[in-house]
Amino acid sequence: MAGLIPERWTERDVTGRGPFSPRQMLELDACTRCGECLRACDSFRVKGDESVALMGMIHRRRRLHNQEESFVGRLLHPNGASERDWDEFEAGVFSCTLCGRCEQFCPVGIKTRTLALTMRQELAGARCKMPKNLGIAREAVLEEGNVFQFPNEDRAMWAEFMDELPDGLLGKEKAEVLYFVGCVSSFSPAVQEVPQAFLSVLLKANVDVALLAGEEWCCGFPLIVGGLAADAQKMIDHNTERLRSLGAKTVVFNCPSCYYTWSNYYPLEDVRLLHSSQFIRELVEAGRITFDDCDLPVTYHDPCDLGRGMGEYAAPRDVLKSFAGDNYVELSPSGSRALCCGGGGDVEMWDPDLVGAINGELTDAVERSGAKLVVQACPQCKRVTQRSLEERKSEIRTLDITEFALEFGKFRDESS
Amino acid sequence: MAVFHGLSALAIAIFLAGALSRARFWLSDDRSPGDGGRRPTKRLAQQASVAIRFLLRPQTLQTLFWNGLVMRQVWRESRLRWLIHLTISWSFVGLFAVGSLGNYAADFGAPLEKDDAWFAAFNDAAALALLAGLGLALGRRYLTPAAHTRTIFDDAIVLVLLALLGLSGLLVEAGRILEEGTTASAGGYAFLGYPLSQALEPLDWNWEVAAGWVWWTHAVASLSFVAYLPYSKLRHMFTSPITIALASDKEAPSPENERSANQETEPWPA
Ligand code: HEM
Ligand code: SF4
Ligand code: SF4
């Protein structure tokens, strides 16, 4: 398993030499200060502080480097940069939701998301500088196997509330498909309908599916985006081992962050990984789900980790267009420049107000679109957006794509 | 001339020191896995070999061409910024290649005359483009800045140095015309330098002396520009095509790709 996560990322090193690659150092140098990333960044829009956007982070990191490494810097700062300078840098870096939107705006092609992630890696991994709640979440994941500090054996409680749960599903030892549920869907009451809906869809489609229940551990995403990639290895090893003993050749996810993490960090060349939207599109294409024509204006919001993260923009749109046809409306902006819901980058752990304020922009866009239903493909996006819409007393409904398929789809086996 | 050559050597030395310090910066944080035993020189050689292999791939060369020459990415993002770039960078390259190198070539016996119609017209057209581009850049930055525009001192130095270069270049031409005398018909090709010389003529200066001063102003501005380049944001003229090439290439060395790559053979930028 060694080597999956760059080894040097796992080193706890406080000598000042951090985990930036030469390419990333070049990127720090290549920033033209054009400010396009400020235009892209909703965290900056809310906070009005440049240090939360890439331009400011780059500027601060370069300054720290100059203070600590350059000849003049060392003369002026014999003890290195001050703790305050590092703290200010940390505050900015941990206010970024890692949505990656600025990457779509940067005219010189800086990989902003990876750069911001590496900054976290340097702060949290190499310097142990991180928000307090990230430290608590880290302990929770390492000790309990989930980010919420709940007993992990309660992970599949949402399934136990389902009426049509087949006997023996939870203890199944072999299956063709593993449904990896993820922490938010498993434990957050606000979105428990999402895994319930997806499991129902899988069962209606006669898929030989299993859950790991209490043996499912956090995929590692919250640690990786927190800058603690080394700690995620334990999760990766455990989940991979459980998958192998189940013998499944396909893993399905309703959470794009789990899907992203498995796709990028798990050593699985021979296993097919599918997001729920891709799985549902396959059912639509095979004629196993059909939708009646409808006159409900529907829109779709691209989750960051599914769209910009995994490049999947088409699958959910194909499903929705097969239902709504001309009543499907795009949000503006959408696709690769889609707005962030605010709930990414672990920021909700230490700054929930920022998350809500960021979401305001997305909710505005949804209201502007004229849609009566906004479909999302991420439990975290749904949780945050639903809350915002409720606060506004809006009549617009939010549904996850799995709930949408269950509510509006006709399953062939069911109807024939 | 000896003084000028001495100053040129100094400017180039400062440029090279800057370029080296940038290269050191790019490698300063690297600690590839298994590096413990490897000597820095060996590591540097390995990094350089990966970088060169990447830069020489046909796909990279293609992106460098489109972004270095016609600045496709800048065009996609803002037409005004593209116009500013095209006018400034092409005229700068043109003035440097034809104006400066042409002069050197003439010194070494090449059949080039500053009053040749094409030579004069080219120089003046390039200077006009440079000044127009700078005017747009100054206007965009200082008169009608967008909400996200942030200006620091370096921005002013870069623009002022370039403006000084262009204006003093025209003055050099005007001074030379006044010093050596050029007929109106020949001067017509120097469509900026000649009218400028006519406008300056009533000042009745000693043009042999004044032309010398103007020439030195131009020379010092050019050399300062060269020396300052790697320390200013203008170094992006070298780094941007590379970062764009890296971004447009899924297989370029990156932390993501590194996860599946063989770390021993692809250390850059592991
Ligand atoms: C692919 C190549 C290039 C890209 C992507 C690029 C991109 C940029 C960007 C994003 C800015 C910031 C604009 C701003 O300040 O608002 C900028 C500024 C500038 N660039 Fe480039 N650039 C490139 C090549 C060049 C070249 C070859 C030159 C030649 C001299 C040049 C000259 C300038 C100047 C003078 C500015 C400052 C303009 C101002 O202050 O408003 N660039 N460039
Ligand atoms: S990744 Fe998103 S939140 Fe972070 S700086 Fe870029 S636009 Fe802002
Ligand atoms: S968009 Fe890119 S080049 Fe422009 S300021 Fe942001 S990081 Fe720097």
Side-chain angles (χ1 to χ4, degrees):
Chain A
M1 215 63 66
L4 272 179
I5 290 176
E7 227 175 85
R8 66 205 174 77
W9 279 18
T10 69
E11 291 171 28
R12 291 288 159 92
D13 187 320
V14 286
T15 58
R17 278 159 68 91
F20 295 94
S21 67
R23 172 182 180 169
Q24 293 180 311
M25 294 305 278
L26 174 71
E27 290 178 336
L28 291 181
D29 231 14
C31 170
T32 59
R33 286 182 289 97
C34 68
E36 289 300 314
C37 52
L38 301 182
R39 202 154 67 87
C41 181
D42 273 326
S43 193
F44 168 70
R45 178 183 56 78
V46 172
K47 292 220 158 192
D49 173 3
E50 277 163 36
S51 60
V52 308
L54 245 293
M55 184 174 96
M57 293 184 211
I58 289 176
H59 173 71
R60 278 185 193 273
R61 187 60 190 83
R62 281 175 51 92
R63 203 172 63 190
L64 287 166
H65 178 94
N66 289 341
Q67 289 175 359
E68 303 217 324
E69 310 256 332
S70 76
F71 176 69
V72 182
R74 274 187 297 208
L75 279 183
L76 295 175
H77 306 269
N79 299 323
S82 71
E83 211 47 31
R84 216 180 107 215
D85 286 339
W86 277 103
D87 287 346
E88 283 171 4
F89 176 57
E90 178 197 338
V93 171
F94 282 99
S95 295
C96 157
T97 63
L98 294 174
C99 68
R101 192 160 184 258
C102 47
E103 199 160 302
Q104 306 296 323
F105 286 68
C106 178
V108 300
I110 294 176
K111 297 294 250 179
T112 59
R113 185 181 180 279
T114 319
L115 195 57
L117 195 54
T118 307
M119 288 175 180
R120 286 187 174 200
Q121 190 70 46
E122 177 188 41
L123 284 165
R127 291 182 169 265
C128 295
K129 279 185 111 39
M130 62 186 120
K132 198 168 125 240
N133 286 358
L134 177 58
I136 295 173
R138 172 176 175 267
E139 296 310 316
V141 171
L142 291 178
E143 278 165 26
E144 284 297 341
N146 69 74
V147 77
F148 292 102
Q149 256 181 327
F150 288 141
N152 209 49
E153 54 277 16
D154 292 347
R155 211 174 239 278
M157 215 183 259
W158 57 268
E160 288 161 20
F161 294 132
M162 287 170 68
D163 296 334
E164 75 274 35
L165 188 72
D167 290 341
L169 181 101
L170 291 179
K172 220 165 162 179
E173 285 179 3
K174 291 281 167 203
E176 281 170 25
V177 175
L178 165 65
Y179 170 24
F180 188 90
V181 186
C183 297
V184 174
S185 310
S186 298
F187 291 109
S188 175
V191 286
Q192 281 200 352
E193 294 87 355
V194 177
Q196 288 171 345
F198 193 27
L199 185 57
S200 300
V201 169
L202 289 161
L203 294 172
K204 279 175 189 280
N206 290 327
V207 174
D208 174 22
V209 65
L211 305 171
L212 294 178
E215 280 303 305
E216 176 184 306
W217 288 5
C218 169
C219 68
F221 181 83
L223 299 177
I224 293 168
V225 297
L228 299 162
D231 293 324
Q233 193 70 53
K234 187 176 161 195
M235 311 292 128
I236 296 171
D237 292 348
H238 171 83
N239 289 326
T240 308
E241 194 271 312
R242 297 314 307 157
L243 169 74
R244 292 299 183 205
S245 76
L246 190 68
K249 287 284 168 237
T250 303
V251 186
V252 290
F253 309 85
N254 68 288
C255 170
S257 307
C258 298
Y259 173 50
Y260 175 90
T261 307
W262 277 68
S263 303
N264 284 291
Y265 291 84
Y266 281 54
L268 301 167
E269 311 249 297
D270 54 338
V271 177
R272 201 163 169 243
L273 307 177
L274 279 180
H275 182 254
S276 53
S277 59
Q278 297 164 329
F279 176 79
I280 293 168
R281 178 174 63 181
E282 287 191 0
L283 293 182
V284 171
E285 283 171 354
R288 292 171 67 187
I289 300 188
T290 49
F291 296 102
D292 286 340
D293 288 347
C294 90
D295 54 7
L296 185 69
V298 179
T299 190
Y300 170 69
H301 164 240
D302 295 273
C304 302
D305 290 324
L306 187 63
R308 286 183 286 265
M310 293 299 295
E312 182 57 87
Y313 299 104
R317 286 181 169 76
D318 290 347
V319 174
L320 292 178
K321 284 179 186 167
S322 76
F323 164 72
D326 289 345
N327 286 316
Y328 175 78
V329 286
E330 278 293 352
L331 289 180
S332 171
S334 68
S336 66
R337 291 195 170 191
L339 293 164
C340 172
C341 76
D346 291 347
V347 172
E348 200 174 14
M349 289 181 197
W350 48 84
D351 197 348
D353 293 344
L354 176 61
V355 176
I358 289 178
N359 189 273
E361 189 82 354
L362 171 62
T363 318
D364 285 347
V366 170
E367 287 182 337
R368 264 198 322 269
S369 73
K372 293 274 173 278
L373 170 64
V374 51
V375 175
Q376 299 188 298
C378 165
Q380 180 69 346
C381 291
K382 186 190 165 187
R383 208 156 71 96
V384 180
T385 311
Q386 193 170 15
R387 197 166 55 209
S388 247
L389 285 166
E390 277 166 12
E391 276 167 16
R392 292 185 186 199
K393 305 209 172 12
S394 166
E395 309 233 304
I396 301 170
R397 280 183 79 198
T398 45
L399 284 181
D400 185 79
I401 186 109
T402 53
E403 298 172 282
F404 168 82
L406 189 67
E407 183 171 331
F408 294 99
K410 283 212 171 73
F411 290 78
R412 198 173 59 192
D413 289 348
E414 190 188 39
S415 55
S416 59
Chain B
M1 264 306 126
V3 181
F4 176 68
H5 289 312
L7 285 178
S8 302
L10 181 66
I12 292 171
I14 298 176
F15 174 91
L16 288 177
L20 259 177
S21 91
R22 293 342 297 159
R24 255 193 60 188
F25 175 72
W26 302 339
L27 297 177
S28 64
D29 220 48
D30 181 47
R31 201 163 0 91
S32 306
D35 260 356
R38 268 187 266 164
R39 269 172 303 142
T41 40
K42 190 163 172 223
R43 250 172 54 202
L44 194 72
Q46 229 166 358
Q47 311 274 13
S49 110
V50 180
I52 289 168
R53 265 186 291 150
F54 172 72
L55 289 174
L56 291 182
R57 286 164 37 154
Q59 196 190 347
T60 314
L61 288 175
Q62 209 180 358
T63 320
L64 289 178
F65 173 83
W66 282 109
N67 284 294
L69 291 184
V70 287
M71 307 196 196
R72 189 171 50 183
Q73 182 90 7
V74 186
W75 165 264
R76 283 188 189 142
E77 172 244 333
S78 149
R79 300 294 139 96
L80 176 60
R81 193 175 272 160
W82 178 79
L83 192 62
I84 293 174
H85 268 84
L86 214 68
T87 46
I88 294 181
S89 64
W90 272 103
S91 56
F92 183 79
V93 171
L95 285 168
F96 180 72
V98 177
S100 317
L101 298 183
N103 277 346
Y104 275 112
D107 284 350
F108 287 101
L112 270 179
E113 248 314 309
K114 286 172 191 156
D115 285 333
D116 280 352
W118 74 269
F119 200 75
F122 179 89
N123 271 341
D124 280 28
L128 180 66
L130 178 66
L131 292 174
L134 282 169
L136 287 174
L138 285 163
R140 186 176 159 278
R141 176 166 295 281
Y142 295 100
L143 298 181
T144 55
H148 57 272
T149 303
R150 298 288 180 277
T151 296
I152 62 170
F153 193 48
D154 179 43
D155 297 309
I157 302 183
V158 164
L159 294 176
V160 165
L161 267 181
L162 278 168
L164 201 63
L165 256 176
L167 290 173
S168 59
L170 285 176
L171 282 173
V172 168
E173 189 177 40
R176 187 175 46 76
I177 291 172
L178 285 169
E179 188 191 345
E180 295 174 2
T182 302
T183 60
S185 58
Y189 295 108
F191 59 89
L192 293 180
Y194 186 72
L196 187 61
S197 72
Q198 301 306 297
L200 293 176
E201 198 171 18
L203 292 180
D204 205 21
W205 285 348
N206 176 348
W207 285 109
E208 256 173 59
V209 178
W213 279 105
V214 174
W215 189 88
W216 273 108
T217 311
H218 186 61
V220 170
S222 316
L223 297 179
S224 314
F225 182 78
V226 170
Y228 185 55
L229 227 165
Y231 306 90
S232 76
K233 78 166 184 185
L234 268 189
R235 64 172 170 264
H236 80 272
M237 70 170 78
F238 304 113
T239 55
S240 308
I242 301 179
T243 47
I244 291 171
L246 284 163
S248 62
D249 184 350
K250 294 258 176 302
E251 276 156 36
S254 75
E256 287 110 334
N257 293 344
E258 180 206 340
R259 280 176 211 122
S260 51
N262 177 337
Q263 296 174 355
E264 277 307 306
T265 54
E266 288 290 317
W268 193 74

Coordinates of all heavy atoms in Angstrom, one line a residue, chain A residues 83-123:
Chain A
E83 N 5.1 33.9 14.4 CA 4.0 33.0 14.5 C 2.7 33.6 14.0 O 1.8 33.0 13.4 CB 3.9 32.7 16.0 CG 3.3 31.3 16.4 CD 3.9 30.1 15.6 OE1 5.1 30.1 15.2 OE2 3.2 29.2 15.4
R84 N 2.7 35.0 14.2 CA 1.5 35.7 13.7 C 1.3 35.6 12.2 O 0.2 35.4 11.7 CB 1.6 37.2 14.2 CG 0.2 37.7 14.6 CD 0.2 39.1 15.0 NE -0.4 39.9 14.0 CZ 0.1 41.2 13.7 NH1 1.0 41.7 14.4 NH2 -0.5 41.8 12.7
D85 N 2.4 35.7 11.5 CA 2.4 35.6 10.1 C 1.9 34.2 9.6 O 1.0 34.1 8.7 CB 3.8 35.9 9.4 CG 4.1 37.3 9.5 OD1 3.2 38.2 9.6 OD2 5.3 37.7 9.4
W86 N 2.4 33.2 10.3 CA 1.9 31.9 10.0 C 0.4 31.7 10.3 O -0.4 31.1 9.6 CB 2.7 30.8 10.7 CG 4.0 30.5 10.0 CD1 5.2 30.9 10.4 CD2 4.2 29.7 8.8 NE1 6.2 30.4 9.5 CE2 5.5 29.7 8.5 CE3 3.3 29.0 8.0 CZ2 6.1 29.0 7.4 CZ3 3.8 28.3 6.9 CH2 5.2 28.3 6.6
D87 N 0.0 32.3 11.5 CA -1.4 32.2 11.9 C -2.3 32.9 10.8 O -3.4 32.3 10.5 CB -1.6 32.9 13.2 CG -1.1 32.1 14.4 OD1 -0.7 30.9 14.1 OD2 -0.9 32.6 15.5
E88 N -1.9 34.0 10.3 CA -2.7 34.7 9.3 C -2.8 33.9 8.1 O -3.9 33.8 7.4 CB -2.1 36.1 9.0 CG -2.4 37.1 10.2 CD -1.7 38.4 10.0 OE1 -1.0 38.6 9.0 OE2 -1.8 39.2 10.9
F89 N -1.7 33.3 7.7 CA -1.7 32.4 6.5 C -2.7 31.3 6.7 O -3.5 31.0 5.9 CB -0.3 31.9 6.3 CG -0.1 31.0 5.1 CD1 -0.5 31.3 3.8 CD2 0.4 29.7 5.3 CE1 -0.4 30.4 2.8 CE2 0.6 28.8 4.3 CZ 0.2 29.2 3.0
E90 N -2.6 30.7 7.9 CA -3.5 29.5 8.2 C -4.9 30.0 8.2 O -5.8 29.2 7.6 CB -3.1 29.0 9.7 CG -4.0 27.9 10.1 CD -4.0 27.7 11.6 OE1 -3.0 28.1 12.3 OE2 -4.9 27.1 12.1
A91 N -5.3 31.1 8.7 CA -6.7 31.6 8.7 C -7.2 31.7 7.3 O -8.3 31.3 7.0 CB -6.8 32.9 9.4
G92 N -6.4 32.2 6.4 CA -6.8 32.3 5.0 C -7.0 30.9 4.4 O -8.0 30.6 3.8
V93 N -6.0 30.1 4.5 CA -6.0 28.8 3.8 C -7.2 27.9 4.3 O -7.8 27.2 3.5 CB -4.7 28.1 4.1 CG1 -4.7 26.6 3.6 CG2 -3.5 28.8 3.4
F94 N -7.5 28.0 5.6 CA -8.6 27.2 6.1 C -10.0 27.9 5.9 O -11.0 27.4 6.5 CB -8.4 26.8 7.5 CG -7.4 25.6 7.6 CD1 -6.0 25.9 7.9 CD2 -7.8 24.3 7.4 CE1 -5.1 24.8 8.0 CE2 -6.9 23.3 7.4 CZ -5.6 23.5 7.7
S95 N -10.0 29.0 5.2 CA -11.4 29.6 4.9 C -11.7 29.3 3.4 O -12.7 29.7 2.9 CB -11.3 31.1 5.1 OG -11.2 31.4 6.4
C96 N -10.8 28.6 2.8 CA -11.1 28.2 1.4 C -11.9 26.9 1.4 O -11.6 26.0 2.1 CB -9.7 28.1 0.7 SG -9.7 27.1 -0.8
T97 N -12.9 26.9 0.6 CA -13.8 25.6 0.6 C -13.2 24.6 -0.4 O -13.9 23.6 -0.6 CB -15.2 26.0 0.2 OG1 -15.2 26.5 -1.2 CG2 -15.9 26.9 1.1
L98 N -12.1 24.9 -1.0 CA -11.5 24.0 -2.0 C -12.4 23.6 -3.1 O -12.4 22.5 -3.6 CB -11.0 22.7 -1.3 CG -9.8 22.9 -0.3 CD1 -9.5 21.6 0.4 CD2 -8.6 23.4 -1.0
C99 N -13.2 24.6 -3.5 CA -14.2 24.4 -4.5 C -13.6 24.3 -5.9 O -14.1 23.7 -6.9 CB -15.3 25.5 -4.5 SG -14.6 27.1 -5.1
G100 N -12.4 24.9 -6.1 CA -11.6 24.8 -7.3 C -12.2 25.7 -8.4 O -11.8 25.7 -9.5
R101 N -13.1 26.6 -8.0 CA -13.7 27.5 -9.0 C -12.7 28.4 -9.6 O -12.7 28.7 -10.8 CB -14.9 28.3 -8.4 CG -15.7 29.0 -9.3 CD -17.1 29.3 -8.7 NE -17.9 29.9 -9.8 CZ -18.1 31.2 -9.9 NH1 -17.6 32.0 -9.0 NH2 -18.8 31.7 -10.9
C102 N -11.8 28.9 -8.7 CA -10.8 29.9 -9.2 C -9.9 29.3 -10.3 O -9.4 30.0 -11.1 CB -10.0 30.4 -8.1 SG -9.4 29.2 -6.9
E103 N -9.7 28.0 -10.3 CA -8.9 27.3 -11.3 C -9.4 27.6 -12.7 O -8.7 27.6 -13.6 CB -8.9 25.8 -11.0 CG -7.7 25.1 -11.6 CD -7.5 23.7 -10.9 OE1 -7.3 23.7 -9.6 OE2 -7.6 22.7 -11.5
Q104 N -10.7 27.7 -12.8 CA -11.4 27.9 -14.1 C -11.2 29.4 -14.5 O -11.5 29.7 -15.7 CB -12.9 27.6 -14.0 CG -13.2 26.2 -13.5 CD -12.7 25.1 -14.4 OE1 -12.7 25.3 -15.6 NE2 -12.2 24.1 -13.8
F105 N -10.8 30.2 -13.7 CA -10.6 31.6 -14.0 C -9.2 32.0 -14.2 O -8.9 33.0 -14.9 CB -11.2 32.5 -12.9 CG -12.7 32.6 -12.9 CD1 -13.5 31.5 -12.5 CD2 -13.4 33.7 -13.2 CE1 -14.8 31.5 -12.4 CE2 -14.8 33.8 -13.1 CZ -15.5 32.7 -12.8
C106 N -8.3 31.3 -13.6 CA -6.9 31.7 -13.6 C -6.3 31.7 -15.0 O -6.2 30.7 -15.6 CB -6.0 30.8 -12.7 SG -4.3 31.3 -12.7
P107 N -5.9 32.9 -15.5 CA -5.4 33.0 -16.9 C -4.1 32.3 -17.1 O -3.8 32.0 -18.3 CB -5.4 34.5 -17.2 CG -5.3 35.1 -15.9 CD -5.9 34.2 -14.8
V108 N -3.3 32.0 -16.1 CA -2.0 31.4 -16.3 C -2.1 29.9 -16.0 O -1.0 29.3 -15.9 CB -0.9 32.1 -15.6 CG1 -0.8 33.5 -16.1 CG2 -1.0 32.1 -14.1
G109 N -3.3 29.4 -15.7 CA -3.4 27.9 -15.6 C -2.8 27.4 -14.3 O -2.4 26.2 -14.2
I110 N -2.9 28.1 -13.2 CA -2.4 27.6 -11.9 C -3.4 26.6 -11.4 O -4.6 26.8 -11.4 CB -2.2 28.7 -10.9 CG1 -1.0 29.6 -11.4 CG2 -1.9 28.2 -9.5 CD1 -0.8 30.8 -10.5
K111 N -2.9 25.4 -10.9 CA -3.8 24.4 -10.4 C -4.1 24.8 -8.9 O -3.5 24.4 -8.0 CB -3.2 23.0 -10.4 CG -2.9 22.5 -11.7 CD -4.1 22.3 -12.5 CE -4.4 20.8 -12.8 NZ -5.6 20.7 -13.6
T112 N -5.1 25.7 -8.8 CA -5.3 26.4 -7.5 C -5.8 25.4 -6.4 O -5.4 25.6 -5.3 CB -6.4 27.5 -7.7 OG1 -7.6 26.9 -8.2 CG2 -5.9 28.6 -8.7
R113 N -6.7 24.5 -6.8 CA -7.2 23.6 -5.7 C -6.1 22.8 -5.1 O -6.0 22.7 -3.9 CB -8.3 22.7 -6.3 CG -9.0 21.9 -5.3 CD -10.1 21.0 -5.8 NE -10.7 20.3 -4.8 CZ -10.2 19.1 -4.3 NH1 -9.1 18.7 -4.7 NH2 -10.9 18.5 -3.3
T114 N -5.3 22.2 -6.0 CA -4.2 21.4 -5.5 C -3.2 22.2 -4.7 O -2.7 21.7 -3.7 CB -3.4 20.7 -6.7 OG1 -4.4 20.2 -7.6 CG2 -2.6 19.5 -6.2
L115 N -3.0 23.4 -5.2 CA -2.1 24.3 -4.5 C -2.6 24.6 -3.1 O -1.9 24.5 -2.1 CB -1.9 25.6 -5.3 CG -0.7 26.5 -4.9 CD1 0.6 25.7 -5.0 CD2 -0.6 27.7 -5.8
A116 N -3.9 24.9 -3.0 CA -4.5 25.2 -1.7 C -4.4 24.0 -0.8 O -4.2 24.1 0.4 CB -5.9 25.7 -1.8
L117 N -4.6 22.9 -1.4 CA -4.6 21.6 -0.6 C -3.2 21.4 -0.1 O -3.0 20.9 1.1 CB -5.0 20.5 -1.5 CG -5.4 19.1 -0.9 CD1 -6.5 19.3 0.1 CD2 -5.9 18.2 -2.0
T118 N -2.2 21.6 -0.9 CA -0.8 21.4 -0.4 C -0.5 22.4 0.7 O 0.3 22.1 1.6 CB 0.1 21.6 -1.6 OG1 -0.3 20.8 -2.7 CG2 1.6 21.2 -1.2
M119 N -1.1 23.6 0.6 CA -0.8 24.6 1.7 C -1.4 24.0 3.0 O -0.8 24.1 4.1 CB -1.5 25.9 1.4 CG -0.8 26.7 0.2 SD -1.7 28.2 -0.2 CE -0.6 28.8 -1.5
R120 N -2.6 23.4 2.9 CA -3.1 22.8 4.1 C -2.2 21.6 4.6 O -2.0 21.4 5.8 CB -4.5 22.3 3.8 CG -5.5 23.3 3.7 CD -6.9 22.7 3.6 NE -7.9 23.8 3.6 CZ -9.2 23.6 3.9 NH1 -9.6 22.4 4.2 NH2 -10.1 24.6 3.9
Q121 N -1.8 20.9 3.6 CA -0.9 19.8 3.9 C 0.3 20.3 4.7 O 0.7 19.7 5.7 CB -0.5 19.1 2.6 CG 0.2 17.8 2.8 CD -0.7 16.7 3.2 OE1 -1.8 16.6 2.7 NE2 -0.3 15.9 4.2
E122 N 0.9 21.4 4.2 CA 2.0 21.9 4.9 C 1.7 22.4 6.3 O 2.4 22.1 7.3 CB 2.6 23.1 4.1 CG 3.7 23.8 4.8 CD 4.2 25.1 4.1 OE1 3.3 25.8 3.7 OE2 5.4 25.3 4.0
L123 N 0.5 23.1 6.4 CA 0.2 23.7 7.7 C -0.2 22.6 8.7 O 0.4 22.5 9.8 CB -1.0 24.6 7.5 CG -0.7 26.0 6.9 CD1 -1.9 26.7 6.5 CD2 0.1 26.9 8.0

